[in-house]
Amino acid sequence: MRYQITHLTRYGYAGPVSLCHSIAHLKPREMPYQRCNLANLRINPWPSVVREHRDFFGNRVSYFSVQQSHLQLEITATAEVEVWAPPLPDPTATQPWDKVQAQLRASTGADAASAHLFTLHSPAVPLDPLAADYARDSFSSERPLLEAALDLVNRIHRDFDYDPTSTTVATPLADVLQQRRGVCQDFAHLAIAALRGLGLPARYVSGYLETLPPPGQPKLRGADASHAWLAVYCPEATQTGGWVDLDPTNDCPISDQYITTAIGRDYQDVTPVRGVFYGGGEHSLTVSVDVDRLE
């Protein structure tokens, strides 16, 4: 599947901003099932400094600095991406999860060390005993890892309500567990905390999901949004580097309708745009996203 993505971020300030420094994770990354053919970033006012680098996780990170007075900052990211549905191992034929956990602990190889990084706590995903307890209903002894992970995703989808008004990017995981509601970022963090609590590697994935309008209705411009899900380490997933991406918000493995932008330990590693600015006072933020399928 081929897509064109337009992601517009606009900051409006009550007073002049004399200087801002920002980083953005807005350019899709290469994956075994994804190829980025084109990615551009347009910034208004035009910045004095623009640089791009790869971070520790291999994500494309754009840095820019606007060094002139401005009342509005507009960041427009455009990309053209080809995506294929990642192959999914037979969930019932994957190794028992406790065997995978033990093998990772005993291994000293580079691949195991890389996966082990994603068993550790991170700023937005502390090792919460309640999250681990929640996972244990899915992870009975010797149950196949991917079968158990899919069951965990299904339970989160069933037990938690999607409510965009219930949380912010700063809402602690403990609050999400207590109130049983949130958004895609919260559900991804919960699943990651649950898996890490059992000693299994899990990573945060940010990107986009193609949304389709109801039959007979036009697609609304700017109505798409960034999306988040998780990936669990699964040794049988050899064609995708040992990772299987799962979406608890929609209770499914990802398909060719998912576009990956960045991966990390949690949301804070892959924030679409963040930075600092001098002056400005109060500010407003508007975001619009379009994911268009190309013939």
Side-chain angles (χ1 to χ4, degrees):
M1 203 68 69
R2 197 158 59 96
Y3 297 100
Q4 179 174 293
I5 303 154
T6 305
H7 185 139
L8 172 64
T9 306
R10 182 181 293 116
Y11 293 92
Y13 305 104
V17 171
S18 58
L19 173 67
C20 79
H21 301 284
S22 302
I23 63 171
H25 297 87
L26 292 171
K27 294 184 177 181
R29 59 177 287 150
E30 298 292 319
M31 301 292 288
Y33 45 86
Q34 175 176 290
R35 180 168 62 230
C36 182
N37 298 324
L38 177 70
N40 292 310
L41 205 63
R42 188 174 71 249
I43 302 153
N44 184 31
W46 187 249
S48 302
V49 180
V50 180
R51 291 196 297 266
E52 181 176 322
H53 68 275
R54 302 273 178 175
D55 67 11
F56 177 82
F57 304 105
N59 303 313
R60 300 175 69 176
V61 183
S62 304
Y63 163 80
F64 61 89
S65 174
V66 177
Q67 301 177 10
Q68 56 180 295
S69 179
H70 56 283
L71 291 171
Q72 180 173 285
L73 176 65
E74 190 172 279
I75 306 157
T76 306
T78 55
E80 186 178 303
V81 182
E82 290 182 75
V83 185
W84 298 267
L88 187 72
D90 178 358
T92 62
T94 55
Q95 297 180 60
W97 71 269
D98 28 13
K99 180 180 178 181
V100 174
Q101 178 206 60
Q103 288 175 340
L104 282 171
R105 286 183 173 178
S107 177
T108 57
D111 290 344
S114 177
H116 183 71
L117 167 69
F118 293 100
T119 66
L120 307 176
H121 69 87
S122 57
V125 185
L127 294 181
D128 191 319
L130 293 178
D133 289 343
Y134 183 81
R136 288 191 177 92
D137 285 346
S138 297
F139 285 81
S140 54
S141 179
E142 298 188 356
R143 189 176 190 183
L145 187 153
L146 187 53
E147 180 183 73
L150 286 166
D151 185 64
L152 172 66
V153 163
N154 173 262
R155 289 174 51 229
I156 292 173
H157 177 76
R158 186 178 68 240
D159 295 345
F160 289 74
D161 293 328
Y162 185 87
D163 181 358
T165 67
S166 63
T167 60
T168 70
V169 294
T171 300
L173 178 63
D175 289 0
V176 176
L177 271 164
Q178 182 177 21
Q179 63 191 20
R180 296 287 175 122
R181 58 184 61 246
V183 294
C184 59
Q185 170 193 301
D186 303 307
F187 303 152
H189 281 162
L190 171 58
I192 291 168
L195 291 163
R196 289 180 186 171
L198 299 179
L200 295 171
R203 65 191 190 186
Y204 186 93
V205 188
S206 70
Y208 306 100
L209 171 60
E210 180 195 26
T211 57
L212 300 174
Q217 295 187 24
K219 185 170 183 176
L220 299 176
R221 307 309 301 167
D224 293 320
S226 298
H227 193 46
W229 57 96
L230 73 137
V232 60
Y233 180 75
C234 180
E236 286 78 14
T238 55
Q239 296 183 62
T240 53
W243 294 92
V244 175
D245 289 44
L246 305 174
D247 180 5
T249 304
N250 294 292
D251 187 21
C252 63
I254 70 166
S255 66
D256 58 2
Q257 291 180 278
Y258 289 74
I259 300 99
T260 301
T261 302
I263 60 174
R265 298 167 301 165
D266 58 40
Y267 172 80
Q268 293 189 24
D269 284 336
V270 297
T271 311
V273 181
R274 73 171 184 264
V276 296
F277 61 89
Y278 298 89
E282 296 291 328
H283 70 277
S284 62
L285 169 65
T286 57
V287 178
S288 68
V289 177
D290 289 303
V291 179
D292 294 314
R293 186 180 298 193
L294 301 175
E295 297 298 333

